[in-house]
Structures are given as structure tokens and as C-alpha cells.
């Protein structure tokens, strides 16, 4: 029996394929930009889900945001990156702690989102 896919399922599949295709040929600098974009998206969805009472979606997006922060920290070159890499590592870990303690507090998630937006803007300016 044929089951018609839901619009949400189809959209999620498309977004996943789009992300994979963007990452495949990306330079290291572009990969970091993509991670920042996806982190911002995850935090936005989590905030909206919390406001809408969708705790399962909120939890999965907060976990996704935490995974992206771990990936960003894991990509730092502490030997060649000097003080900047050290500082970014501290910032990423602080954001992880903030998300872990957020308890679905939209204001705490917004603080992390604001910090990421500033970092993403600076990162994009480096490429410009």
C-alpha cells in the first residue's frame, strides 16, 4: 500500500539533502559558515518549539545545537590557532553549558543565539 509522505517529512528530507550537497564541496571556511547557519536554525526552531509547547522538537533541536557546538570546538586547531582558538573553545563550552542549563528558557536560548549571530557575522566578514 502506498503512503503519501507528509509535507513535513518531505521538507526535512529536502533540507537534509540540501545541507549534504552544500557541505560536500565546501572549503573549511565555508564549512564553518554552514555550521553557524545550522546552529542558528536549530536555536530558532528550538525557541519556536518551546513557545508552541512542542517539547520533543525543542529537545531535539537543543541537542542538535549542542552537537554543532561540539563540532565547532572539535574543529579548532589549538596548536596553530593560538589565543583565538583558545578563546573560541571557551566560548563554545560556555554556550554548551548555557544550553544544558536552559531548561527550555527561551531567554537563555536567545542569549546563545545572539552570541552565535555575532560570531557568524564576524566569520562571514573574514571571507568577504
Amino acid at each position: 500500500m502506498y503512503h503519501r509522505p507528509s509535507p513535513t517529512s518531505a521538507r526535512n528530507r529536502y533540507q537534509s539533502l540540501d545541507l549534504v550537497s552544500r557541505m560536500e564541496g565546501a572549503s573549511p571556511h565555508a564549512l564553518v559558515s554552514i555550521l553557524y547557519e545550522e546552529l542558528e536554525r536549530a536555536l530558532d526552531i528550538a525557541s519556536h518549539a518551546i513557545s508552541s509547547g512542542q517539547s520533543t522538537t525543542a529537545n531535539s533541536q537543543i541537542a542538535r545545537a549542542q552537537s554543532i557546538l561540539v563540532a565547532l570546538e572539535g574543529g579548532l586547531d589549538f596548536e596553530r590557532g593560538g589565543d583565538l582558538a583558545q578563546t573560541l573553545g571557551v566560548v563554545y563550552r560556555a554556550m554548551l553549558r548555557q544550553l544544558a542549563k536552559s531548561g527550555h528558557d527561551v531567554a537563555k536560548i536567545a542569549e546563545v543565539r545572539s552570541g552565535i549571530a555575532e560570531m557568524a557575522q564576524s566569520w562571514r566578514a573574514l571571507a568577504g
Side-chain angles (χ1 to χ4, degrees):
M1 175 188 256
Y2 174 75
H3 291 287
R4 195 171 155 182
S6 73
T8 303
S9 174
R11 183 185 67 233
N12 290 343
R13 180 74 176 140
Y14 173 78
Q15 287 175 340
S16 178
L17 289 172
D18 177 57
L19 178 60
V20 169
S21 66
R22 287 176 35 214
M23 292 181 75
E24 282 180 347
S27 69
H29 191 279
L31 285 174
V32 172
S33 291
I34 292 168
L35 287 173
Y36 280 141
E37 289 171 20
E38 291 301 313
L39 180 52
E40 289 174 307
R41 180 176 289 126
L43 294 171
D44 289 343
I45 294 170
S47 293
H48 183 275
I50 291 166
S51 298
S52 302
Q54 300 171 348
S55 61
T56 302
T57 300
N59 289 339
S60 70
Q61 292 302 310
I62 290 170
R64 183 170 181 249
Q66 291 170 319
S67 294
I68 294 169
L69 284 166
V70 168
L72 285 165
E73 183 182 6
L76 294 173
D77 185 342
F78 291 102
E79 289 180 20
R80 296 187 328 193
D83 290 340
L84 178 58
Q86 294 293 328
T87 300
L88 286 171
V90 168
V91 170
Y92 293 149
R93 284 188 295 277
M95 289 177 170
L96 277 166
R97 283 191 302 277
Q98 179 82 346
L99 289 176
K101 296 187 309 185
S102 72
H104 287 193
D105 183 340
V106 175
K108 289 181 180 179
I109 293 171
E111 288 176 23
V112 174
R113 173 61 167 87
S114 176
I116 289 300
E118 288 180 32
M119 293 170 72
Q121 183 178 8
S122 297
W123 187 257
R124 286 188 288 271
L126 287 173

